Each structure stands twice: as C-alpha cells, then as structure tokens.
Amino acid sequence: MGINFALISPKKKTQTEKRIITSLNFDWRTHMKTSTKRTILAAAISSACLLTAMPSYAEGEFTANASATSNYIWRGLTQTTNEAAVQGGIDYAHESGFYAGTWASNVNYGAGDVYSYEHDMYFGFSGESVGIAYDFGYLYYNYDDEANFDFAEVYGSVGMGGLSLTVYLLAHTEADEGEGQDFGFAQASYTSLDYGMEILNGTELGFHVGYHEGDFAEAFNGVEGYVDYGVSIAKDGFSFAITGTDLDDMGGDDEFDNDAVKFTVAYSVDFQL
C-alpha cells in the first residue's frame, strides 16, 4: 500500500467509492449504496456513481442489489489490487425519506494483509424541496477484526438538475493515532462534485471529481491528500468507467498502480424483496 502513516497496519489500499448512483460502480459505500443512494441525486462515480433520480418508494419498501466489477474502486483507489469483486446489499426506504441498509464486498490490499472483506451499514434521510435534492446520513465501514481499522463518516449532499455536491466527514474510528496524528471528528474529509445526464435511449453519462484529505485518510489510504476524477457511462445495469488521480508514481513494485488511469467494467442488478 505504500506508507503506513498510522504506524499500525492500515488498510493497505493505496488510492479512490460503491456506485453512488449507478454508473461508476465504485464507491458504493459512499452513500446509501444502490437504490437509496440514487435517491438523492447524481453523486456519481465513486464506486461508481452518477445520475440523479428520486424514486418513489412505497412505505416500508425493501430492495436488494448484487453486482460484479472488474475492479473495486473507492475514491479513485483500487480496493482489490486491480482485481475483480463481487458485491451486494439490502436496503430499506420509507416514503418519508428515511433509508437504511447494508452492503458488502471482497477486498484485497496485498499478500499477507489481514483485510478480506468490507461490510458497510448506513442510514440517512433524503428528499427534495423547491427543485433541490438533499441527502444526509451516517455510514459505518466494517473490516476484519484483525485489521482494527473500522471507521464511520457522516455525509451531506445537495443537488440540482444533474449536478451534486457531497461532503463526507470522519465521525470516529477504532484505529489508534500515530504520533502527531489527529483522528478526531471532521479531521478527515472527502468532497465530491458530480454531474450526470441521460443520453441516447436511457444511457447515463456521468462526470466526477473529488478530493480526499486528513490524517486518517492518509493512514487509511497510505497516501497524502489527493484528487480523483472520472467519467462513466451506464445502461441496463452495465457500466464502464475511466478513473484517475493526481498521485505521483510510487515506483518499485507497486501492485496498486493508483497513479495510472483505470478502466472498469461492471454489471449490477436491483430487485424488490
């Protein structure tokens, strides 16, 4: 992964979230992964992420999702050393705007690493007022017990048309701080600007740029603050994404290769329970 800023086996992911809406199928965790995520707007890319839509849920509706992707990308960084991942989750959404859910994926941060899975739990509230979509909530990231690096974020997003702005703030973590580090509330953040639109018979096109910073972000990712960006196209569950970062080449035997442009293909399906 690179540098262990936390001085304790951080999650060796070197650098980029679950499909925040549908396209980039990456940063799922970044929001209510899947249908509820789409509930807010177009926060696209990050495990994918893009387009906007305010689905009308019946009271107490449960949905499930399953997907396969050639590379699990989170905020521009591979979570599977550029290998495939199988993912899925269950969501609950109420007509009031409240939602909750859980999602899981395999992860791999290199030979000998203790990480094998990621399990996310989240809840929040989304809606729309005078043409402005909004979404805010709490997201907990759970990993193997041996990793001792679980953490949580609070997030808020606003959007209009196909444009959305989302901010994630570190809420708390079980990880230990290294010397000179601060893992306190809001001492790490991720800011994302996304735009999604529909083109040609329901095909969705999305654009994304984000910035990750803070002591915990560095410890978790193994790199200092960085920018990630991407574009994706999706239709009928299939998506193709191109993502990159402004990270420098780490040289040597870098199995993450997060300084390079990445191409990801994914397929996902949602269904009611």
Side-chain angles (χ1 to χ4, degrees), residues 91-137:
D91 297 306
Y92 169 81
H94 189 272
E95 59 184 3
S96 66
F98 172 79
Y99 63 81
T102 183
W103 179 87
S105 174
N106 60 287
V107 297
N108 177 13
Y109 302 118
D113 204 311
V114 299
Y115 294 87
S116 64
Y117 71 85
E118 174 192 331
H119 174 222
D120 301 341
M121 295 170 284
Y122 44 88
F123 64 86
F125 189 87
S126 65
E128 183 177 3
S129 178
V130 295
I132 298 177
Y134 58 86
D135 185 10
F136 57 88

Side-chain angles (χ1 to χ4, degrees), residues 39-200:
T39 253
I40 175 181
L41 59 69
I45 224 156
S46 185
S47 147
C49 321
L50 300 259
L51 249 212
T52 273
M54 289 289 297
S56 62
Y57 292 110
E59 183 174 348
E61 180 178 82
F62 285 89
T63 59
N65 62 88
S67 64
T69 177
S70 61
N71 191 354
Y72 175 17
I73 302 294
W74 184 70
R75 297 176 181 173
L77 315 181
T78 178
Q79 307 299 288
T80 50
T81 58
N82 297 306
E83 296 180 350
V86 176
Q87 308 165 333
I90 296 176
D91 297 306
Y92 169 81
H94 189 272
E95 59 184 3
S96 66
F98 172 79
Y99 63 81
T102 183
W103 179 87
S105 174
N106 60 287
V107 297
N108 177 13
Y109 302 118
D113 204 311
V114 299
Y115 294 87
S116 64
Y117 71 85
E118 174 192 331
H119 174 222
D120 301 341
M121 295 170 284
Y122 44 88
F123 64 86
F125 189 87
S126 65
E128 183 177 3
S129 178
V130 295
I132 298 177
Y134 58 86
D135 185 10
F136 57 88
Y138 172 88
L139 171 58
Y140 186 85
Y141 303 78
N142 174 46
Y143 300 93
D144 305 65
D145 290 341
E146 303 91 320
N148 192 39
F149 229 80
D150 289 5
F151 69 98
E153 294 177 323
V154 291
Y155 58 85
S157 181
V158 293
M160 177 180 290
L163 185 67
S164 66
L165 174 67
T166 307
V167 176
Y168 300 88
L169 301 175
L170 176 68
H172 57 85
T173 177
E174 66 176 2
D176 297 326
E177 296 175 344
E179 183 177 356
Q181 293 182 320
D182 187 350
F183 290 175
F185 181 81
Q187 293 304 304
S189 66
Y190 180 71
T191 303
S192 163
L193 182 65
D194 301 274
Y195 182 74
M197 68 182 78
E198 183 176 317
I199 60 173
L200 300 176

